[in-house]
Amino acid sequence: MDKKIKTNLRLASVNDNSVKSSTGLKKAELSTSRLTDTDEVGDNNWIRRTHESLLNVLDLSRITSMPPDKARVQIREAATKLLDEANAPLAASTRQRVVKGVENEILGYGPLELLLEDPTISDILVNRYDDVYVERKGKLEKATTQFRDNQHLLNIINRIVSNVGRRIDESSPMVDARLHDGSRVNAIIPPLALDGPAMSIRRFIKDKLSTEDLINIGSMNDAMAEVLAAIVKSELNIVVSGGTGTGKTTILNILSSHIGRTERIITIEDSAELQLQQPHVVRLETRPQNIEGKGAISQRELVTNSLRMRPDRVIIGEVRGGEALDMLQAMNTGHDGSLATLHANTPRDAISRLENMVSMAGLKLPTSAMRSQIASAVDVILQLERMEDGKRRITSITEIQGMEGDVITMSEIFNFTRTGLDEQGNITGYFTATGVVPKFYEKLKQRGSDMSPSLFKPRTITRKAS
């Protein structure tokens, strides 16, 4: 259809009693408006007008109480009937998009649905109702998707947070939630967000990455993969460190795949994202305070409770506060093989962050005692980085060796050495062992690992990171 064609057709009223009985429609005059079919703007106009008309004629309480598949069929039939009676001059493909958009407005997340269906998108960033960005392959790009106005965006945010029993309003203008597929959502609204509601969605990866996948995409090499698998199987305590969006949860999932299927695992998260495949897993999630400011359950309380649940392994999605002390005590009292993540830019920064979070527990421990606990509890720090080319790499595997005076001593076992940039702007470099044979090597051998000590010999280039 010629994009310049304009239509003065009006949406007609629905007076078909047979439709009323099968779809929950009731007799009502539909709103009338002149519509323009101009690319996506035209689609959005038709979606908006058809949606508004359906709100006048649909019994939403009846529709939303139906099974989702059946409800979508009813909405699809009603929307198609409205477009037919309006003699909408739309191509078949455009008509399908409009009907799908109406379904999403009533039962889904509106304009977000098309982005959520795109498997190449890893992040969705809504700065304003008319300013949306997405991340593909580590690079940000502006999306054509828009919301109608701030109220439309706020309605979608409310729908998301209410589905997980949370709320957002002026008295509580920030919220963390998740979608039904596990994608992580953060939203913030006025008065804190000056330009209107804003929302960030970290997509949940449906197709789990494996160790081999990380090797193939240049996130680590074969030697590192072999050592990490042996570390997990031998029940060493690991802290995964990195900035936002570096892939900490992905690495945690991959590390957990090496845990034995007979072990009992307790996971603790603010927003459940881990995808463990073992049969014996108990998943715990924090709870925010209710509207009266009561009922909040913190990660620290869940960590304390998990130790009464007879765990073989405790996995903490992200250590943020006083639960760090309870985690260290668990690692030091027989709960070996625990895994956790935290935000830090280097392994040494990760140690400092742990010290700060332990102090948040409220106990006035001497610095030497605090560091001694950390050195005794944590065996390995795995450092991740998302680099300028958008690719995520394991930049360091570091062993915590012990204490020298009041200082925690560390030895880097593997690292990523950068050599420059190629013509496409991709970072070039290689993974290499540093030549240090870790103290935990003997423990790995005692636990049955047949790992060769040659893995720890430095090489000029082991594998290029693509």
Side-chain angles (χ1 to χ4, degrees), residues 281-408:
V281 178
V282 178
R283 304 167 70 212
L284 306 180
E285 186 178 58
T286 61
R287 186 177 71 185
Q289 63 186 19
N290 58 24
I291 194 169
E292 289 85 18
K294 301 178 181 178
I297 303 296
S298 67
Q299 277 202 144
R300 185 173 188 186
E301 293 172 278
L302 293 180
V303 171
T304 301
N305 188 77
S306 71
L307 303 183
R308 305 187 185 107
M309 300 172 67
R310 199 266 178 213
D312 290 312
R313 308 261 189 160
V314 177
I315 301 179
I316 304 177
E318 182 179 335
V319 183
R320 294 181 176 177
E323 67 270 13
L325 175 61
D326 302 276
M327 178 191 74
L328 294 176
Q329 290 176 337
M331 291 177 172
N332 277 322
T333 55
H335 295 91
D336 295 329
S338 296
L339 306 173
T341 74
L342 56 78
H343 280 81
N345 293 325
T346 67
R348 179 60 66 180
D349 286 347
I351 295 297
S352 298
R353 281 272 293 153
L354 276 175
E355 290 182 24
N356 292 335
M357 290 187 289
V358 168
S359 65
M360 293 168 64
L363 296 180
K364 296 181 179 180
L365 292 175
T367 300
S368 58
M370 185 188 308
R371 292 177 178 174
S372 178
Q373 279 218 29
I374 295 172
S376 177
V378 180
D379 296 302
V380 177
I381 295 178
L382 194 61
Q383 186 66 41
L384 309 181
E385 184 178 344
R386 181 173 63 176
M387 298 185 173
E388 302 96 293
D389 57 2
K391 297 181 181 178
R392 298 162 173 86
R393 297 176 174 92
I394 298 177
T395 56
S396 176
I397 298 177
T398 301
E399 179 186 36
I400 305 298
Q401 292 196 317
M403 295 280 294
E404 286 187 4
D406 287 341
V407 178
I408 297 175

Side-chain angles (χ1 to χ4, degrees), residues 18-296:
S18 64
V19 176
K20 173 183 177 180
S21 60
S22 62
T23 65
L25 286 171
K26 52 190 175 183
K27 293 182 180 180
E29 289 297 322
L30 302 186
S31 60
T32 59
S33 177
R34 296 183 177 183
L35 304 173
T36 304
D37 180 23
T38 306
D39 295 333
E40 189 172 351
V41 175
D43 287 359
N44 289 337
N45 279 337
W46 280 103
I47 290 171
R48 177 170 59 86
R49 299 302 182 186
T50 308
H51 177 222
E52 290 173 353
S53 299
L54 280 178
L55 292 180
N56 292 329
V57 298
L58 275 177
D59 183 354
L60 286 184
S61 61
R62 180 176 175 183
I63 290 293
T64 55
S65 64
M66 293 179 179
D69 291 344
K70 186 175 180 180
R72 283 190 176 270
V73 170
Q74 302 291 352
I75 293 170
R76 191 177 308 129
E77 291 176 353
T80 301
K81 182 175 180 63
L82 286 174
L83 292 173
D84 289 342
E85 295 197 353
N87 294 319
L90 302 174
S93 59
T94 303
R95 184 181 291 257
Q96 289 177 356
R97 290 199 302 271
V98 170
V99 172
K100 182 69 173 178
V102 173
E103 291 178 40
N104 293 337
E105 284 295 328
I106 295 177
L107 295 177
Y109 301 129
L112 289 177
E113 289 287 346
L114 291 178
L115 301 180
L116 293 171
E117 291 172 1
D118 187 340
T120 66
I121 293 176
S122 57
D123 285 271
I124 302 170
L125 308 171
V126 183
N127 300 330
R128 295 188 308 273
Y129 76 91
D130 59 349
D131 187 25
V132 180
Y133 284 80
V134 297
E135 180 185 293
R136 285 189 175 94
K137 298 180 179 179
K139 299 292 183 69
L140 288 177
E141 58 185 69
K142 191 171 178 60
T144 58
T145 300
Q146 292 186 357
F147 297 83
R148 291 194 299 272
D149 49 35
N150 282 331
Q151 187 58 49
H152 185 203
L153 173 55
L154 185 58
N155 290 342
I156 298 300
I157 292 174
N158 275 316
R159 186 176 301 172
I160 290 172
V161 302
S162 63
N163 284 343
V164 291
R166 302 194 177 186
R167 67 186 181 91
I168 186 167
D169 51 39
E170 286 191 3
S171 63
S172 181
M174 297 183 294
V175 69
D176 287 312
R178 70 175 186 274
L179 303 181
H180 61 277
D181 67 352
S183 297
R184 184 169 48 188
V185 180
N186 175 269
I188 183 167
I189 65 173
L192 301 185
L194 301 182
D195 297 323
M199 176 169 53
S200 305
I201 300 177
R202 173 66 52 81
R203 293 292 306 283
F204 182 82
I205 301 175
K206 295 181 180 178
D207 298 326
K208 285 185 59 182
L209 293 176
S210 65
T211 300
E212 190 62 33
D213 291 328
L214 293 193
I215 294 172
N216 291 335
I217 63 178
S219 292
M220 63 179 173
N221 68 1
D222 303 86
M224 295 164 70
E226 184 175 343
V227 171
L228 288 176
I231 286 172
V232 175
K233 292 175 183 176
S234 299
E235 299 184 349
L236 271 64
N237 296 318
I238 304 174
V239 170
V240 180
S241 168
T244 300
T246 54
K248 297 187 294 298
T249 302
T250 298
I251 290 294
L252 208 57
N253 274 317
I254 291 173
L255 293 177
S256 67
S257 68
H258 300 296
I259 298 176
R261 294 181 62 82
T262 59
E263 297 187 63
R264 176 174 169 84
I265 307 169
I266 310 294
T267 68
I268 300 167
E269 301 174 86
D270 270 337
S271 182
E273 293 180 280
L274 293 172
Q275 308 173 65
L276 274 62
Q277 301 302 307
Q278 289 81 356
H280 202 162
V281 178
V282 178
R283 304 167 70 212
L284 306 180
E285 186 178 58
T286 61
R287 186 177 71 185
Q289 63 186 19
N290 58 24
I291 194 169
E292 289 85 18
K294 301 178 181 178

